[in-house]
Amino acid sequence: MLELTLEGLTKKYGSKTAVNGFSYTMTRGVYGLLGANGSGKTTLLRMICGILEATEGTVCCGGMEIGKMGAEYRRILGYLPQNFGYYPEFTAKRFLMYLAALKALPRGEAEARSEELLGLVELTSVKNKKIKTFSGGMIRRLGIAQALLNDPELLVLDEPTTGLDPKERIRFRNIISSLSKNRIIILSTHIVPDVEYIADEILLMREGKLLAAGDIGNMLETVRGKVWECIVKPEDTETYQARFRVSNLRNTDSGVRLRIVSDFCPVENARPGDPDLEDVYLYYFSEAGN
């Protein structure tokens, strides 16, 4: 069974620590890496991909440090960076064939694989159009296709749905879910719904550290009893927003309905609510009133 082990991973840039002692072991499935912008997610992924050298700690795949694996590690790795680079004058098909050549795939295999992946990401009908004519969602789907050219066992996706509309995000999530059976997929994002429906495990990262980890059920249990719903007077709304983490606000005929994440009951008439992953995110990553 494929196993990726991160042990004490640390990356420093002078006096700044971007990743701080990150340790975790992953096997097959989807791992949702959640954290605010600037939490160190991209730096962590770049170390996992061997693009950045760790200041301290190791990344091991199947018990061997990735630096010692060389081409063998690159063979099993697929990577979609946050800023996916492409040649705008290339067609989608030509772009995949070009990258397949760089990965040393035989031409016949590259042809078949490119056609298969264009079908998977629903770009077959536009495969001969130039990439510069594509929408943001189409480009991200092409990015997935290029990351899968070598049929990787480890797929690393950095903020893959940023800038996509809801329909494209749903389509993207469905593609990722369909790929997860025989791979380790690491999906980094700050958009909670992108991992809530498809991740087998959630990893919360803040200020370079692993804050908490577990499956959805376990993560929800960490904030059970800390989610409250109440109705307040409209004129009191700003006061509650300043004092508490308010995850939802809705005007009703009887007042303003607030959903509050708090360690204690925020108001006398508040009742406990069932937590969701957005409540978990808010609890760990947002200060009251922010």
Side-chain angles (χ1 to χ4, degrees):
M1 177 182 291
L2 183 66
E3 184 174 273
L4 185 72
T5 302
L6 317 180
E7 186 62 44
L9 268 188
T10 297
K11 183 63 179 179
K12 296 182 179 180
Y13 298 97
S15 60
K16 180 183 178 181
T17 301
V19 176
N20 191 353
F22 196 105
S23 297
Y24 204 72
T25 297
M26 306 178 195
T27 54
R28 299 190 188 277
V30 179
Y31 293 81
L33 182 62
L34 273 177
N37 290 329
S39 61
K41 301 190 304 297
T42 293
T43 301
L44 177 68
L45 296 188
R46 287 170 67 85
M47 287 191 288
I48 290 173
C49 292
I51 299 170
L52 282 179
E53 186 175 344
T55 306
E56 300 172 13
T58 59
V59 180
C60 292
C61 184
M64 181 178 293
E65 287 191 35
I66 61 172
K68 297 177 180 178
M69 295 178 67
E72 175 61 20
Y73 187 63
R74 293 192 295 274
R75 186 189 66 78
I76 67 170
L77 174 68
Y79 177 43
L80 175 60
Q82 186 172 355
N83 297 312
F84 167 54
Y86 56 90
Y87 298 102
E89 295 295 330
F90 279 26
T91 65
K93 176 67 176 294
R94 182 186 174 195
F95 180 66
L96 291 184
M97 290 296 291
Y98 170 72
L99 291 181
L102 293 181
K103 294 174 183 283
L105 269 67
R107 183 167 183 81
E109 181 182 342
E111 179 81 26
R113 186 69 177 153
S114 295
E115 290 289 348
E116 177 187 354
L117 292 173
L118 286 166
L120 175 69
V121 299
E122 300 181 36
L123 291 176
T124 299
S125 63
V126 294
K127 67 180 181 180
N128 293 320
K129 292 188 176 181
K130 291 184 177 181
I131 302 173
K132 67 180 182 181
T133 67
F134 285 10
S135 68
M138 293 164 73
I139 290 171
R140 299 308 283 179
R141 281 186 272 147
L142 183 62
I144 276 286
Q146 65 81 28
L148 290 167
L149 273 169
N150 56 327
D151 197 19
E153 295 180 74
L154 171 60
L155 184 60
V156 178
L157 309 169
D158 191 2
E159 298 284 357
T161 60
T162 298
L164 301 188
D165 63 36
K167 182 179 178 180
E168 283 287 2
R169 282 171 51 202
I170 292 170
R171 189 204 305 255
F172 197 94
R173 291 202 305 260
N174 289 340
I175 291 172
I176 299 308
S177 185
S178 71
L179 296 169
S180 63
K181 185 177 180 180
N182 298 310
R183 293 178 174 86
I184 294 175
I185 300 180
I186 306 174
L187 172 60
S188 165
T189 186
H190 63 279
I191 303 174
V192 175
D194 285 345
V195 297
E196 185 166 17
Y197 299 113
I198 62 172
D200 297 296
E201 293 196 34
I202 304 293
L203 286 71
L204 302 182
M205 189 173 185
R206 186 174 70 185
E207 296 178 351
K209 296 181 179 180
L210 178 61
L211 204 60
D215 62 29
I216 295 288
N218 288 334
M219 298 307 297
L220 295 182
E221 285 303 313
T222 65
V223 296
R224 190 168 298 281
K226 305 177 190 297
V227 180
W228 309 88
E229 295 181 352
C230 58
I231 295 179
V232 302
K233 298 177 181 177
E235 59 267 27
D236 293 337
T237 302
E238 289 188 8
T239 300
Y240 281 96
Q241 287 183 293
R243 290 184 58 197
F244 299 103
R245 303 175 181 90
V246 177
S247 65
N248 193 38
L249 180 155
R250 179 177 297 177
N251 289 302
T252 70
D253 292 338
S254 55
V256 180
R257 182 181 298 277
L258 300 180
R259 184 177 176 91
I260 293 173
V261 182
S262 170
D263 287 314
F264 57 89
C265 182
V267 64
E268 187 176 347
N269 69 347
R271 58 183 180 82
D274 290 326
D276 58 30
L277 195 57
E278 284 191 342
D279 297 319
V280 175
Y281 187 92
L282 194 65
Y283 182 77
Y284 281 103
F285 295 114
S286 177
E287 299 300 327
N290 185 7

